[in-house]
Amino acid sequence: MAATIKDVAKIAKVSVSTVSRVINNESNVKPETFRLVQDAIKICNYVPNNFARGLKSSSSKTIGLLVSDISNSHFTVMAKRIETILRENDFNMIICSTDENKQQEMRYINHLMSQQIDGLILNTTGLNNEEIINISQHLPIVLIERRINEPGFHGDYVSSNNREGIRQLTSNLLALGHRKIGFINCEGTTSTGQERFKGFQDAMSEIGIGIDKCYPYHYSCNTFSIDNGFRACRTLMQMMERPTAIIAANNTLAIGTLQYLRLNHIQIPDEISLLSYGNIENSELFFVELGHATLNPVTIAEKAADFILSRIEGPSLNNRESIFEPTVLLKSSVKSIL
């Protein structure tokens, strides 16, 4: 038999009304209580009534977009294009930003479900996979940029080829004579960071350099952020033997890296070459234009919107994925040291 809200309350040792407040994303719930209820929902595989209401025959004509950091121009561009396409198809959009926070992600998902959304486009934290897999059985979901590499997920995935993009960036630096290459990344729980790290390993292994925990120029952050990019660059540039080039595994890390270099008057590319996986908005206005691998946020947005609309029409569609190949543009931020 399907679990009930009373089963959740019993496991969490709280009242039914408390469980209801968690499900409805009400603010008057202590964080530890919220966590207990979420754990209980996972244990008994409870599907809140919100999910069932999402199966009603009438449509709310609303789609949720949940991203990790809406301040990142990559997601801002993407959100604008998705919203335009949805509006042209008579759908509204609710956008939320998780700030890479596990609890915040689930609060927003519960809130969106309470609004009876017809579908969800999700850039997941990678920290609530079991819950999202459960939700995907009842709600059309399209994952963007970050996949769920676990069985049971029902939905679609749209991204760029993370592994190949970083491999190409690294190979270009190697061809210019660089060997001491700093790599600023966030492996963490997200597929993007893990795939990008593998791309770096691929390129370096081609010239016989193994990348493991002993490689001195690898800096793994806990999240993709400007502050972490700044700290990572500081660590690399304060080494006794500095790297000759740095690859930032996303544009926010690249911004933090640029901030540190500018603050410390370190010249690009004379003193350090720099590349980014993903462009910085308006980087063509910089004195040094940043070399990067293109991520095509507009293209990804268009495919994600197409996938969610077609999945709403056909919920039983098999899982689909669309992977776009990045293009490397070296620009003026790199130089040869041959």
Side-chain angles (χ1 to χ4, degrees):
M1 292 180 61
T4 68
I5 194 170
K6 291 182 179 180
D7 296 324
V8 176
K10 183 177 181 180
I11 293 173
K13 297 181 180 179
V14 298
S15 67
V16 169
S17 61
T18 297
V19 176
S20 179
R21 288 199 298 274
V22 170
I23 292 171
N24 291 306
N25 194 36
E26 295 181 16
S27 60
N28 58 338
V29 180
K30 295 180 180 179
E32 56 268 28
T33 304
F34 182 91
R35 185 173 61 254
L36 284 171
V37 173
Q38 287 293 341
D39 288 344
I41 288 173
K42 184 191 305 183
I43 290 170
C44 66
N45 198 30
Y46 172 63
V47 179
N49 288 337
N50 292 332
F51 301 159
R53 288 201 298 270
L55 299 175
K56 62 189 185 310
S57 58
S58 61
S59 169
S60 68
K61 304 297 288 186
T62 302
I63 290 172
L65 172 62
L66 188 53
V67 300
S68 56
D69 181 8
I70 194 57
S71 69
N72 184 337
S73 61
H74 177 72
F75 292 117
T76 306
V77 170
M78 192 179 295
K80 180 175 177 59
R81 184 60 184 143
I82 291 173
E83 190 275 333
T84 298
I85 295 172
L86 295 181
R87 177 164 28 88
E88 291 171 349
N89 286 271
D90 298 321
F91 277 84
N92 300 308
M93 185 176 82
I94 301 174
I95 185 167
C96 306
S97 181
T98 67
D99 295 327
E100 303 284 12
N101 183 280
K102 176 182 179 179
Q103 287 75 28
Q104 191 160 307
E105 180 176 54
M106 284 311 304
R107 287 192 184 100
Y108 277 135
I109 289 176
N110 285 331
H111 175 70
L112 291 169
M113 294 301 301
S114 73
Q115 302 302 306
Q116 302 182 38
I117 57 172
D118 295 304
L120 177 64
I121 300 174
L122 175 63
N123 173 241
T124 177
T125 63
L127 299 170
N128 294 299
N129 287 354
E130 288 185 28
E131 292 86 347
I132 293 167
I133 288 170
N134 184 37
I135 293 168
S136 74
Q137 310 306 313
H138 308 273
L139 179 75
I141 296 182
V142 174
L143 301 174
I144 51 173
E145 303 288 10
R146 299 172 177 180
R147 67 168 78 239
I148 292 179
N149 287 314
E150 297 176 25
F153 174 76
H154 182 65
D156 304 312
Y157 173 66
V158 187
S159 184
S160 63
N161 190 334
N162 295 290
R163 186 169 183 169
E164 178 59 17
I166 290 292
R167 190 199 69 77
Q168 288 186 30
L169 287 175
T170 310
S171 293
N172 274 280
L173 288 175
L174 293 171
L176 294 172
H178 296 276
R179 294 296 182 269
K180 294 180 289 184
I181 301 175
F183 185 56
I184 303 174
N185 190 31
C186 173
E187 284 84 81
T189 59
T190 64
S191 63
T192 47
Q194 294 159 9
E195 290 167 3
R196 291 170 193 177
F197 180 67
K198 289 177 181 177
F200 184 65
Q201 287 180 308
D202 291 343
M204 297 297 278
S205 67
E206 291 174 2
I207 61 162
I209 298 178
I211 303 300
D212 54 24
K213 293 181 180 179
C214 296
Y215 181 72
Y217 302 112
H218 171 223
Y219 190 105
S220 183
C221 308
N222 58 347
T223 58
F224 292 103
S225 70
I226 293 173
D227 288 344
N228 280 334
F230 185 96
R231 283 190 285 267
C233 186
R234 178 179 61 199
T235 298
L236 292 173
M237 298 309 293
Q238 288 180 349
M239 296 177 70
M240 289 293 293
E241 190 171 351
R242 289 178 172 181
T244 61
I246 291 175
I247 297 173
N250 91 328
N251 57 350
T252 55
L253 293 175
I255 292 172
T257 300
L258 284 166
Q259 286 183 349
Y260 179 84
L261 296 175
R262 179 65 181 271
L263 183 65
N264 290 275
H265 310 289
I266 300 171
Q267 299 299 311
I268 304 170
D270 294 337
E271 297 177 78
I272 187 80
S273 291
L274 177 62
L275 291 173
S276 169
Y277 192 70
N279 193 24
I280 297 172
E281 189 175 16
N282 298 322
S283 65
E284 67 275 7
L285 302 178
F286 296 177
F287 287 107
V288 176
E289 192 171 355
L290 182 65
H292 61 276
T294 60
L295 291 190
N296 303 309
V298 171
T299 305
I300 291 172
E302 290 172 347
K303 180 55 70 173
D306 173 65
F307 272 177
I308 197 66
L309 290 170
S310 59
R311 184 159 290 281
I312 289 170
E313 290 295 318
S316 62
L317 287 169
N318 291 331
N319 289 13
R320 301 168 294 181
E321 69 175 38
S322 183
I323 310 295
F324 298 99
E325 296 300 324
T327 301
V328 170
L329 305 171
L330 292 183
K331 303 294 183 177
S332 59
S333 64
V334 297
K335 75 169 186 176
S336 173
I337 60 171
L338 290 172

